[in-house]
Amino acid sequence: MWFKKQKAFTVEKTDVCVRIMGRTVHYPSLLDAVQHAGPWLEYDLAAMVLYNVQYRDCLRSEGMEDLKARLLREAPVLVGQEKVMRGMEEWVQRHLPLADFDIQCYNIHDVVTIEGFDFCGWQDVHDHIELMATKRIDHFDVWSREPKSTAESVHVGCLYASYPTFDSSDWGDDRTYDNYLIRRHPITESEMAELARVKYADNYQRVNECLPAHLLPVLYYKGDGDCMLLATAKHSSIH
């Protein structure tokens, strides 16, 4: 497997996490994140808004104008960058209305607390899988799997899809798009089937604004890179 073992990193709640120039990084402030952003700042800024709880909350409760005012206060380097701010707004508008739950961006090596259990990064979540599911053209497959790691307090199901195969160069690609359903009780086939019915736009991603709140928490990893997205109910314990 391509996964390289690294020391897990504990996230501070005030961090701004964003995927910039192919790397998912935590910054101590929005200003730091903006100053390290790549050439497509409007898209990076939109991701900061959509996938960091503090800015999602601001947008949801205060609206776009107040959000933009906050961004300008916290990152004065954005003042006068009308194209960036307009591009950010246009990109964010495509995802509205925001769901009434949190979606937070993490590096796959971060320690995250989900359902009261500390996972030491994405690999730890993956190792707890006890139920696998995938949607075929004409049927839905679900089967049990012996987890590599077990804990009485947490259970994990994985809804996945293989990367598309276009030609012979893709035959050896075993990467998958993964959606992890995490529960305090054993995962059921009906729960996995409901997760499979959630609407998605790209890359089999069920962590989006269409996800029903009763299915939370759900973790999404696209199969490569170091970014994962965690959707949780408000006020849940996340580190």
Side-chain angles (χ1 to χ4, degrees):
M1 180 177 286
W2 67 269
F3 180 81
K4 182 180 180 181
K5 189 72 173 178
Q6 293 188 16
K7 183 179 179 181
F9 177 77
T10 302
V11 183
E12 297 296 330
K13 292 183 179 179
T14 56
D15 284 353
V16 177
C17 187
V18 66
R19 189 171 188 268
I20 294 175
M21 302 295 288
R23 297 179 59 243
T24 302
V25 184
H26 295 272
Y27 294 98
S29 69
L30 180 70
L31 177 59
D32 287 308
V34 168
Q35 288 178 326
H36 287 88
W40 304 103
L41 178 54
E42 58 265 40
Y43 302 115
D44 293 334
L45 190 58
M48 295 178 208
V49 169
L50 292 169
Y51 303 133
N52 282 274
V53 173
Q54 61 268 45
Y55 302 115
R56 281 179 64 89
D57 285 349
C58 180
L59 176 58
R60 188 188 300 106
S61 62
E62 306 297 332
M64 180 60 73
E65 293 308 311
D66 283 354
L67 169 70
K68 289 191 291 185
R70 175 175 175 173
L71 298 179
L72 294 174
R73 287 196 306 271
E74 294 188 11
V77 294
L78 293 172
V79 174
Q81 298 198 47
E82 288 84 4
K83 180 181 178 181
V84 168
M85 297 300 289
R86 184 169 60 252
M88 177 278 297
E89 181 175 0
E90 291 174 354
W91 189 256
V92 169
Q93 289 285 354
R94 300 179 187 180
H95 295 77
L96 298 183
L98 294 184
D100 191 23
F101 53 74
D102 296 334
I103 300 180
Q104 177 65 52
C105 171
Y106 290 100
N107 186 286
I108 60 172
H109 302 292
D110 291 340
V111 176
V112 291
T113 302
I114 310 173
E115 293 292 274
F117 186 86
D118 289 340
F119 289 99
C120 295
W122 161 78
Q123 184 69 59
D124 196 11
V125 176
H126 193 78
D127 286 347
H128 280 80
I129 297 172
E130 60 188 41
L131 198 68
M132 299 286 293
T134 190
K135 195 172 184 179
R136 310 293 186 184
I137 295 176
D138 57 353
H139 64 285
F140 185 64
D141 280 347
V142 184
W143 65 96
S144 297
R145 173 186 120 155
E146 187 67 29
K148 295 181 180 179
S149 297
T150 59
E152 293 182 359
S153 61
V154 68
H155 303 268
V156 177
C158 180
L159 171 71
Y160 78 93
S162 298
Y163 269 46
T165 299
F166 298 108
D167 53 45
S168 59
S169 65
D170 298 319
W171 289 352
D173 192 343
D174 61 355
R175 291 174 297 172
T176 56
Y177 304 115
D178 297 330
N179 298 272
Y180 299 92
L181 191 63
I182 302 163
R183 292 286 186 269
R184 294 181 182 176
H185 60 260
I187 308 294
T188 66
E189 292 188 13
S190 61
E191 287 175 311
M192 297 304 295
E194 185 174 7
L195 181 61
R197 291 193 293 269
V198 175
K199 292 181 180 180
Y200 66 96
D202 300 306
N203 298 337
Y204 214 62
Q205 180 179 328
R206 269 41 178 207
V207 172
N208 58 53
E209 311 304 332
C210 297
L211 182 66
H214 67 269
L215 286 179
L216 300 172
V218 177
L219 179 76
Y220 173 77
Y221 178 52
K222 73 171 187 175
D224 65 7
D226 61 7
C227 179
M228 60 183 182
L229 295 176
L230 176 63
T232 55
K234 297 297 297 177
H235 310 303
S236 62
S237 177
I238 305 175
H239 299 317

